[in-house]
Amino acid sequence: MSRSYSRGHRSSRKNANKENDPMMATALTSFVRREFIERKKSSMSRKRPLIEREPDCSAFPFLGYQVNLPYGIQPYTTQKKMIVKILMGLNRKENVMIESPTGSGKTLGLLSSTCEWLCKHKQRYSESVYSCPQHGENAGAYDVSMQSIGDVLKEKTNESQALNSDKKPEASSSGIDEFGDESRDIFDDSPVEEPDILTKAIAQFDEDQNATFSKFMASQVDEIESLNKTVNDSSIQQPACTCEPRVRVYYASRTHRQIAQVVKEFSRLVYGHRLRHTILGSREQLCVNEGVRASHDMTSRCKELLTNENGVGCSFREKLKANFPQSSPKAAARMREEVSITAPKVWDVEDLREALTSDHRSGMCPYFTATRLLTVDSDIIFCPFSYLIDPIIRESSDVHLKNSVVILDEAHNVEDFCREAASFQFTDREAVNSCHSVAEKCMEIDVAIKHMSKEQAQTEEVFAMESSTVAQARDQLNRLGEYQKNLNIMHRYLSAMHSWILDISNSVRQNCENSEQTQRQSQRGGIFNAWGASQASTQWDSGKRFSNTKHFADLYASLERHQLLLIEEKLAETIKGSFAGVVKTTVTGDEAQGENQDFLLSKFKPSSEAIVFMEKMLHFQAFFLLEGCRAAYRLNIAMEEENSDGFATQKGYMEQVGGKKDQAGFLSTRNLMGIKVPEKPRVLDGWKATIGLWCMSPSLAFQGAFSTTRSVVLASGTLTPSESFEAELGIPFQHKLEGEQVVPEEQIFASGPTGHQLVATYNNTSGENSIFAQEIARICLSISERTPGGVLCFFPSYRLMTSVTGVMDRMGLMNKLRDVKAVFSEPRRSSELGPVMEEFNGTVRNPKKYSPRCTGAIMFAVFRGKVSEGIDFTDELARCVISIGIPFPNTKDDQVLEKKKFNDERKTKCPSDVTSISGDAWYTIQAYRALNQALGRCLRHRNDWGAIVLVDQRLSHQLSPEAPNKISRWIRKCLRGYGNYGQFERELTNFMRERETLMSGCPDE
Ligand code: SF4
Ligand SMILES: [Zn+2]
């Protein structure tokens, strides 16, 4: 039993008699906080780590686990059920789906159950390592020394490498290999996997300049196969490993702001003291270099600084590197001690930045510390979704999902997120620029090699053969040669891609040009088959844009025609290998510090645009070639006129990039070496061709990320309707919980349709002064007059929102509304939301400042917008949510249309598959999920109260007890329909009055 675990028991017993005393809890919390600040002050002067007391807790038994919650908290029924479901799921390596409305203690429930399970698992892990026939003798306890596990692994690795010098140690099922020895350069931004075998194969390849792309690639396969054979023949027998896998918890949420809230909750738990954590964030959150922070693209700026070729370095990075050159468990432990001198045990991003740049130890980079160093020994890692789901970000981050427990909080949009993560988009310009950049580097390196070979011959004449200078020069040449081959493979692939893009875009363009006349005459909106294929459709959105979407079979055929279909897994691997070979030595140049040959290589680094483009294509190929996944893809080609201040007048390729390259200083190099890079044309002058490789199935990205995890926990306040998750994500959720809102029913006034026969369809709502808009205008005014504090009103589109506010203006209702509420509209740009929210909150809290009769504010917003998700409208900030219509996705959106078609096709193919859902079912689920999400803004904790008003006749079927569960259960239970608007107004008035009187003396939690 670990030290921290026994301490937890003592703490639990000690507090058992205080559990029902909330006042005591508050007093204790403030005492702990004060004590912490005092200690922090004195320890800063002592420069010693702060010894911080564990927060007080209350332990509750569940399934043999003692789950600790902050002292004084009595778990709600929903929380108890959630904890049990999670513990069961983790024990059985199964997945869990939790719907738990805000205010029901979701985050605490998720964290406490998972952390308690992890603490117990760590004991089991330590015990299993001791008794393992393979690792037992040398292994140490998990908590006592992380290093001991690393030592065991190193020994094992050395042993294995001595026996089999060509073989990279394979990850064992125990998971020790994955995490036990994670020493790597902290600053290495390259993909984590290094295909050594492939790099060697490529190095041995005798390039045939005249071969076609496919012939060229095919010749690689034999080399690789023979190498693999050598590897397999020399495999060795070892006693079976019986270690439990090491488990790490990844807690992901949508935004950094949500992550910050979760970390705050983590700090309230004893587990914050028993488990090590880190936070994966971007440079925007973590960089402390003021010069870089001023840049609009901090990532590129930081990378530029860190490259050897042009970079001047970053003092924060240098200092970190000097103190912590490797990211080993020992180094991580040392860093944690450093951080704890000024930061609390559970630090957040701000604390870390402060700790690493405070006076006593100024100037270490928090970005590399949090994302490369502290990841090594972390038990729990907090991060945004993208770090886990997006394959490109995941591969370049220190993320290891095998055997891990993954919590996806606020996961109601995870399906969309996954589809986007497996979809790739690029422009013809991007392809052309990438191709050019690599071609240029190929030529430069060619000239350099010729030049150096000549020098080498002269040197060998002058020096004796065994001279170290000669050996060094040879080594340098070999490295350049290897790099050149990787670059050549990359160039050939990009050239083939370029031809493919020209081909597909041109055929669409020609078809469109032929039909242009007809199209313009018959007004916009016509649809025709540009490719003659039954599944393809071309759509004119306006005179300046047209797009064509093709079925996966056509996409497959066109890739095949251009020999780009890397069906042979090994061909794909070879390209991947050559790309990794290029990126590894050139992305940041960090590995090259002080070494001449790598400094040389970084001169031949292709542009970051080329690297990003290659990454996208390789990830697409990886998905597209997976068995059974191909059918999920659609190819969309969109052509649109480039705006005049953009790139409208390019004629040829050199004209486009020439000026830019001159400014970047590339031209001088090119002139010096006498290189002339061949021109490559774009699809059409003055037009931008965008190629979209759209993925229709979220399961590709989801399974790509989580197929080797132990358990996935999906949680949100709004998973209803939940039936699509299993079908769409492609994994079973063995444990499900449909949450109850902890707010007592009488605190929700959920009214049904108003009886005005209001149906927010396009036909009913179009037109400047539609009856519908007039009715909504009256309803908004009437509700605002009866509701104190804040009112939120959600519309299915900006169009309808503008139409209603316009009608209010014309009918003179807006002035009446402004008499009682300050009026706000959701801004279109995210950057403008902050100030608007500040003003909204200020007016609700202090309405008399606005006008003498003002009682609060009203916010007009749209479903799926910035206001409908992720913003808490606690207490008086939202006493009423008015929901207009049903927010169905836009039927004119190509992706929505394709997604519906895709689901229908899948359903028709396997009618017996009850888990798959039709296009219409998917479409409806999207609408109701967005609706529920917006309605959840109103009630944020157990003492909160408010009215929810649903305005649309089509929702009346939800009043029936037999209705399918489309609206969240906690709202459904309180739904009432009104045939008479007067009755609704009276009840609303009474509800508001009663609530104000009842709750005025009741403190909020
Ligand atoms: S190394 Fe760190 S501090 Fe320096 S620019 Fe990059 S992210 Fe910023
Ligand atoms: Zn073992």
Side-chain angles (χ1 to χ4, degrees), residues 283 287-289 292 302 314 316-317 365 367-368:
R283 286 168 175 87
C287 176
V288 286
N289 183 324
V292 173
C302 166
C314 167
F316 299 100
R317 195 283 303 259
C365 169
Y367 171 76
F368 283 113

Side-chain angles (χ1 to χ4, degrees), residues 105-137:
K106 174 176 51 111
T107 310
L108 273 185
L110 286 168
L111 278 172
S112 59
S113 52
T114 315
C115 290
E116 177 57 36
W117 181 89
L118 184 61
C119 287
K120 271 260 175 96
H121 180 84
K122 284 174 69 168
Q123 291 170 42
R124 288 195 290 268
Y125 171 87
S126 295
E127 286 157 18
S128 74
V129 174
Y130 275 118
S131 58
C132 170
Q134 202 181 109
H135 308 106
E137 279 177 25

Side-chain angles (χ1 to χ4, degrees), residues 906-917:
R906 201 168 52 179
K907 190 87 191 157
T908 318
K909 227 175 176 178
C910 300
S912 56
D913 181 3
V914 285
T915 60
S916 78
I917 52 169

Side-chain angles (χ1 to χ4, degrees), residues 128-136 139 152 156 172 174 176 239-244:
S128 74
V129 174
Y130 275 118
S131 58
C132 170
Q134 202 181 109
H135 308 106
V152 174
K156 188 182 160 204
S172 90
S174 77
I176 288 187
C241 168
T242 57
C243 295
E244 283 274 337

Side-chain angles (χ1 to χ4, degrees), residues 468-488:
S468 67
T469 318
V470 171
Q472 209 181 344
R474 265 192 207 149
D475 189 36
Q476 206 174 69
L477 257 176
N478 288 342
R479 278 170 168 272
L480 274 177
E482 191 177 314
Y483 186 82
Q484 185 188 30
K485 281 167 189 166
N486 287 334
L487 214 51
N488 279 337

Side-chain angles (χ1 to χ4, degrees), residues 46 59 66 115 143 176 191 195 238 263 311 422 514 645 789 820 901 911:
R46 288 200 314 274
Q66 290 291 323
C115 290
D143 253 345
I176 288 187
Q238 281 200 333
V263 173
N514 294 343
D645 55 337
V820 288
K901 272 196 240 166

